Amino acid sequence: DITIYLHGANNNFYRSTAQAAQYAHFTGRNSVVMLFAWPSAESLFSYAVDVNNARRTFSAFSRFIEMLAQHTNARYIDVLAYSAGAQVLGPALAELRARHADEDEVALQRQFRLGEIYFAAPDIDFKTFLGDLATYDGLAQHVTLALNPSDTVLALAASHHGVSRAGRPDPNELTEEETRLVQAAFQDMDFDLLWIDPDNIPGLRKGAHDFWYNHPWVSTDVLMQLFFQVRPAERGLKPFQGTQGRRAWTFGADYPQRANEALERLMARGS
């Protein structure tokens, strides 16, 4: 597989490369990881510049996926988008699907071989995220949204944009009809929501935005998902309260034991 990493705002090439390399390192360097670096002004005070640059980059990224699919023999092309990287990934996938609107979904899956699409604390308008998802649904094997409902960085971003972010969504922004459509669609989509609750994860800062790589529980789950292409129950996660595990999952207090057991099973299956 190829894993592509899309960094967030307020970043630089060195730090983005280090984050991608960290993922490769913890797979035992048994993975192919690529960084797609989009222009960041490297300053919190230039956030608006970063957002504009991300929005102007998505077409280049959709063409990049097409190029990788055409010129590599990767089994799957996985993408991990962090924070404002979602403003590149979501629209790129929607554009990719629209560019091939007349082609069969199954044929496109074979052509592009998109595997795991992982949005970590996505900084993109909630409604835009949902609209893009509805467009490219079925193009990838699976889509994951990991969110911290207390994310302080996305609270600031929501103040800037005037609407909530997909990584800290406000369901009240949806009409009743939109809510019904979303609920129905999520039951049919290859989609999972990961509820990253600091109250249930020891050592995770309440307003953490960097949880996907800065906390061992979450980063372990990311590694297992992308490396083995498996669903939450197979990775040791528990259904979020009241959802019966249909689409929402979280970490239990016994996660380390469950993760170790899951990893042993997955390693044995792989051998």
Side-chain angles (χ1 to χ4, degrees), residues 7-266:
H7 61 80
N10 185 25
N11 223 315
N12 59 48
F13 187 77
Y14 171 79
R15 186 160 65 245
S16 303
T17 304
Q19 289 169 343
Q22 180 176 342
Y23 170 83
H25 172 75
F26 284 110
T27 64
R29 304 194 179 186
N30 191 22
S31 58
V32 177
V33 180
M34 303 184 74
L35 167 69
F36 187 92
W38 55 271
S40 170
E42 304 178 27
S43 171
L44 183 62
F45 299 105
S46 299
Y47 174 72
V49 174
D50 281 8
V51 168
N52 185 53
N53 287 344
R55 289 173 176 169
R56 295 172 64 185
T57 302
F58 73 84
S59 286
F61 187 71
S62 70
R63 293 193 298 271
F64 179 57
I65 291 176
E66 287 188 310
M67 183 187 73
L68 287 178
Q70 181 180 355
H71 296 289
T72 75
N73 61 356
R75 181 186 61 159
Y76 288 117
I77 298 171
D78 306 319
V79 188
L80 192 162
Y82 174 42
S83 194
Q87 298 190 37
V88 178
L89 177 58
L93 294 178
E95 181 185 74
L96 186 65
R97 186 64 181 94
R99 199 153 58 229
H100 300 270
D102 297 331
E103 298 181 45
D104 177 73
E105 185 177 282
V106 175
L108 290 179
Q109 288 177 352
R110 289 197 298 264
Q111 179 181 348
F112 296 120
R113 308 186 304 283
L114 287 169
E116 299 289 335
I117 301 299
Y118 193 107
F119 290 93
D123 179 10
I124 185 172
D125 294 1
F126 180 35
K127 282 194 175 185
T128 298
F129 176 84
L130 295 175
D132 289 339
L133 179 61
T135 300
Y136 65 77
D137 174 44
L139 188 62
Q141 294 291 319
H142 209 85
V143 178
T144 298
L145 166 60
L147 65 86
N148 173 6
S150 305
D151 191 319
T152 54
V153 171
L154 294 186
L156 290 172
S159 297
H160 173 87
H161 293 279
V163 292
S164 72
R165 320 314 289 155
R168 185 176 171 161
D170 180 4
N172 293 323
E173 292 178 354
L174 303 180
T175 65
E176 290 185 10
E177 178 64 19
E178 287 173 332
T179 300
R180 284 194 294 271
L181 289 172
V182 168
Q183 291 172 341
F186 277 10
Q187 297 306 311
D188 298 327
M189 290 179 177
D190 293 319
F191 174 88
D192 283 316
L193 172 67
L194 301 190
W195 192 269
I196 312 298
D197 187 353
D199 292 334
N200 294 333
I201 302 179
L204 180 62
R205 183 170 48 85
K206 183 73 173 178
H209 182 63
D210 56 0
F211 54 80
W212 81 266
Y213 69 88
N214 222 11
H215 193 281
W217 286 20
V218 188
S219 59
T220 295
D221 184 63
V222 172
L223 286 166
M224 281 199 284
Q225 177 174 346
L226 297 183
F227 197 73
F228 294 104
Q229 307 273 326
V230 291
R231 305 281 55 84
E234 298 176 89
R235 308 192 307 263
L237 298 186
K238 290 185 173 181
F240 187 70
Q241 185 177 5
T243 66
Q244 289 78 49
R246 291 178 181 174
R247 288 293 183 269
W249 300 83
T250 192
F251 293 81
D254 59 346
Y255 174 73
Q257 177 184 344
R258 293 167 65 93
N260 283 333
E261 293 172 351
L263 187 57
E264 290 177 1
R265 289 194 300 269
L266 292 170

